[in-house]
Amino acid sequence: MVQSNHAPKVEAHALTRQVGQPGARPGLAGADLRVGRAQDLSFSDNAFDAVVSHMAIMLMGDVERVVTQVARVLRIGGTLVIAVGAHPAPDSGYELFLSLARPFFAQIPPPRRMPALGDRRTRARTGLDDLLAPPVSSR
């Protein structure tokens, strides 16, 4: 199990300590918890039967490097599971919120705006298919 995020290292280490405390998560008592980055996995080739990315790959930078690392550590025939966020349900109120909030967001000077997270290709099936397709050889 690898815990990886974009939060400051202090928070990531705090989470690892919290999860690793006796009784905090009994199901993880024997888990190997490591702080790391998906762009640079510290595992050997073909080390895992399965890799899971739950609400994470869509927020990561250098997604090509993430995909390369996942392919490297996943054994041939292994399972990759990716869960990404979907668009809000119709009439959920989110579209109304955005229509009201966008004019205010637009007033924030560009240097003070929050940068976009992740790679847009990871937010749609076709983009994920393109990223995860086997490399085309140049024979």
Side-chain angles (χ1 to χ4, degrees):
M1 174 181 285
V2 175
Q3 182 274 328
S4 175
N5 62 20
H6 295 286
K9 287 186 177 183
V10 172
E11 291 180 25
H13 287 293
L15 175 61
T16 302
R17 282 193 307 271
Q18 176 189 355
V19 171
Q21 288 177 355
R25 305 266 173 117
L28 298 177
D32 176 4
L33 300 176
R34 300 181 192 189
V35 176
R37 293 181 47 89
Q39 294 86 345
D40 188 27
L41 297 174
S42 62
F43 303 102
S44 61
D45 296 358
N46 305 308
F48 295 96
D49 295 324
V51 173
V52 177
S53 173
H54 185 263
M55 303 299 284
I57 197 167
M58 64 191 200
L59 302 174
M60 295 181 185
D62 197 1
V63 72
E64 287 92 355
R65 177 87 177 140
V66 172
V67 169
T68 298
Q69 287 290 296
V70 166
R72 181 183 64 76
V73 301
L74 186 62
R75 73 166 172 79
I76 294 173
T79 301
L80 172 62
V81 178
I82 297 176
V84 295
H87 294 286
D91 301 322
S92 66
Y94 187 68
E95 287 85 8
L96 176 61
F97 165 75
L98 286 179
S99 70
L100 297 171
R102 278 191 178 116
F104 294 102
F105 296 156
Q107 294 175 18
I108 300 171
R112 297 197 56 212
R113 291 183 190 161
M114 183 175 149
L117 296 174
D119 186 312
R120 288 195 175 278
R121 295 175 293 173
T122 62
R123 298 179 191 149
R125 176 64 188 252
T126 55
L128 284 170
D129 287 345
D130 289 343
L131 284 166
L132 299 171
V136 177
S137 64
S138 56
R139 292 188 214 200

